mmCIF file with all atom_site columns, all heavy atoms in Angstrom:
data_model
loop_
_atom_site.group_PDB
_atom_site.id
_atom_site.type_symbol
_atom_site.label_atom_id
_atom_site.label_alt_id
_atom_site.label_comp_id
_atom_site.label_asym_id
_atom_site.label_entity_id
_atom_site.label_seq_id
_atom_site.pdbx_PDB_ins_code
_atom_site.Cartn_x
_atom_site.Cartn_y
_atom_site.Cartn_z
_atom_site.occupancy
_atom_site.B_iso_or_equiv
_atom_site.pdbx_formal_charge
_atom_site.auth_seq_id
_atom_site.auth_comp_id
_atom_site.auth_asym_id
_atom_site.auth_atom_id
_atom_site.pdbx_PDB_model_num
ATOM 1  N N   . GLN B 1 46 ? 1.321  18.630 -70.875 1.00 0.00 ? 46 GLN B N   1
ATOM 2  C CA  . GLN B 1 46 ? 2.795  18.157 -70.984 1.00 0.00 ? 46 GLN B CA  1
ATOM 3  C C   . GLN B 1 46 ? 2.948  17.006 -70.278 1.00 0.00 ? 46 GLN B C   1
ATOM 4  O O   . GLN B 1 46 ? 3.722  16.066 -70.642 1.00 0.00 ? 46 GLN B O   1
ATOM 5  C CB  . GLN B 1 46 ? 3.653  19.310 -70.545 1.00 0.00 ? 46 GLN B CB  1
ATOM 6  C CG  . GLN B 1 46 ? 5.134  19.025 -70.933 1.00 0.00 ? 46 GLN B CG  1
ATOM 7  C CD  . GLN B 1 46 ? 5.249  18.781 -72.526 1.00 0.00 ? 46 GLN B CD  1
ATOM 8  O OE1 . GLN B 1 46 ? 4.696  19.504 -73.240 1.00 0.00 ? 46 GLN B OE1 1
ATOM 9  N NE2 . GLN B 1 46 ? 6.076  17.822 -72.882 1.00 0.00 ? 46 GLN B NE2 1
ATOM 10 N N   . PHE B 1 48 ? 0.721  14.500 -69.737 1.00 0.00 ? 48 PHE B N   1
ATOM 11 C CA  . PHE B 1 48 ? 0.116  13.482 -70.432 1.00 0.00 ? 48 PHE B CA  1
ATOM 12 C C   . PHE B 1 48 ? 0.992  13.094 -71.633 1.00 0.00 ? 48 PHE B C   1
ATOM 13 O O   . PHE B 1 48 ? 1.074  11.840 -71.951 1.00 0.00 ? 48 PHE B O   1
ATOM 14 C CB  . PHE B 1 48 ? -1.285 13.806 -70.951 1.00 0.00 ? 48 PHE B CB  1
ATOM 15 C CG  . PHE B 1 48 ? -2.330 13.506 -69.806 1.00 0.00 ? 48 PHE B CG  1
ATOM 16 C CD1 . PHE B 1 48 ? -2.834 14.743 -69.172 1.00 0.00 ? 48 PHE B CD1 1
ATOM 17 C CD2 . PHE B 1 48 ? -2.779 12.355 -69.473 1.00 0.00 ? 48 PHE B CD2 1
ATOM 18 C CE1 . PHE B 1 48 ? -3.735 14.508 -68.107 1.00 0.00 ? 48 PHE B CE1 1
ATOM 19 C CE2 . PHE B 1 48 ? -3.669 12.085 -68.500 1.00 0.00 ? 48 PHE B CE2 1
ATOM 20 C CZ  . PHE B 1 48 ? -4.146 13.179 -67.745 1.00 0.00 ? 48 PHE B CZ  1
ATOM 21 N N   . ILE B 1 49 ? 1.597  14.060 -72.239 1.00 0.00 ? 49 ILE B N   1
ATOM 22 C CA  . ILE B 1 49 ? 2.525  13.749 -73.321 1.00 0.00 ? 49 ILE B CA  1
ATOM 23 C C   . ILE B 1 49 ? 3.622  12.928 -72.913 1.00 0.00 ? 49 ILE B C   1
ATOM 24 O O   . ILE B 1 49 ? 4.068  11.901 -73.469 1.00 0.00 ? 49 ILE B O   1
ATOM 25 C CB  . ILE B 1 49 ? 3.058  15.059 -74.076 1.00 0.00 ? 49 ILE B CB  1
ATOM 26 C CG1 . ILE B 1 49 ? 1.863  15.679 -74.832 1.00 0.00 ? 49 ILE B CG1 1
ATOM 27 C CG2 . ILE B 1 49 ? 4.268  14.757 -75.059 1.00 0.00 ? 49 ILE B CG2 1
ATOM 28 C CD1 . ILE B 1 49 ? 2.150  17.048 -75.435 1.00 0.00 ? 49 ILE B CD1 1
ATOM 29 N N   . MET B 1 50 ? 4.247  13.327 -71.771 1.00 0.00 ? 50 MET B N   1
ATOM 30 C CA  . MET B 1 50 ? 5.353  12.580 -71.177 1.00 0.00 ? 50 MET B CA  1
ATOM 31 C C   . MET B 1 50 ? 4.953  11.113 -70.782 1.00 0.00 ? 50 MET B C   1
ATOM 32 O O   . MET B 1 50 ? 5.613  10.204 -71.168 1.00 0.00 ? 50 MET B O   1
ATOM 33 C CB  . MET B 1 50 ? 5.852  13.340 -69.920 1.00 0.00 ? 50 MET B CB  1
ATOM 34 C CG  . MET B 1 50 ? 7.060  12.585 -69.228 1.00 0.00 ? 50 MET B CG  1
ATOM 35 S SD  . MET B 1 50 ? 7.452  13.363 -67.652 1.00 0.00 ? 50 MET B SD  1
ATOM 36 C CE  . MET B 1 50 ? 6.086  12.782 -66.687 1.00 0.00 ? 50 MET B CE  1
ATOM 37 N N   . ARG B 1 51 ? 3.920  11.021 -70.038 1.00 0.00 ? 51 ARG B N   1
ATOM 38 C CA  . ARG B 1 51 ? 3.343  9.744  -69.593 1.00 0.00 ? 51 ARG B CA  1
ATOM 39 C C   . ARG B 1 51 ? 3.055  8.783  -70.826 1.00 0.00 ? 51 ARG B C   1
ATOM 40 O O   . ARG B 1 51 ? 3.290  7.616  -70.785 1.00 0.00 ? 51 ARG B O   1
ATOM 41 C CB  . ARG B 1 51 ? 2.282  9.786  -68.611 1.00 0.00 ? 51 ARG B CB  1
ATOM 42 C CG  . ARG B 1 51 ? 2.668  10.161 -67.172 1.00 0.00 ? 51 ARG B CG  1
ATOM 43 C CD  . ARG B 1 51 ? 1.594  10.080 -66.223 1.00 0.00 ? 51 ARG B CD  1
ATOM 44 N NE  . ARG B 1 51 ? 0.549  11.128 -66.373 1.00 0.00 ? 51 ARG B NE  1
ATOM 45 C CZ  . ARG B 1 51 ? 0.803  12.381 -66.016 1.00 0.00 ? 51 ARG B CZ  1
ATOM 46 N NH1 . ARG B 1 51 ? 1.891  12.752 -65.502 1.00 0.00 ? 51 ARG B NH1 1
ATOM 47 N NH2 . ARG B 1 51 ? -0.183 13.446 -66.078 1.00 0.00 ? 51 ARG B NH2 1
ATOM 48 N N   . ALA B 1 52 ? 2.501  9.340  -71.884 1.00 0.00 ? 52 ALA B N   1
ATOM 49 C CA  . ALA B 1 52 ? 2.120  8.618  -73.097 1.00 0.00 ? 52 ALA B CA  1
ATOM 50 C C   . ALA B 1 52 ? 3.344  7.968  -73.786 1.00 0.00 ? 52 ALA B C   1
ATOM 51 O O   . ALA B 1 52 ? 3.241  7.001  -74.568 1.00 0.00 ? 52 ALA B O   1
ATOM 52 C CB  . ALA B 1 52 ? 1.214  9.407  -74.000 1.00 0.00 ? 52 ALA B CB  1
ATOM 53 N N   . SER B 1 53 ? 4.500  8.485  -73.496 1.00 0.00 ? 53 SER B N   1
ATOM 54 C CA  . SER B 1 53 ? 5.751  7.989  -74.105 1.00 0.00 ? 53 SER B CA  1
ATOM 55 C C   . SER B 1 53 ? 6.105  6.656  -73.432 1.00 0.00 ? 53 SER B C   1
ATOM 56 O O   . SER B 1 53 ? 6.938  5.872  -73.955 1.00 0.00 ? 53 SER B O   1
ATOM 57 C CB  . SER B 1 53 ? 6.835  9.012  -73.980 1.00 0.00 ? 53 SER B CB  1
ATOM 58 O OG  . SER B 1 53 ? 7.318  9.183  -72.671 1.00 0.00 ? 53 SER B OG  1
#
Side-chain angles (χ1 to χ4, degrees):
Q46 194 57 42
F48 278 103
I49 290 170
M50 180 192 68
R51 281 187 288 287
S53 69

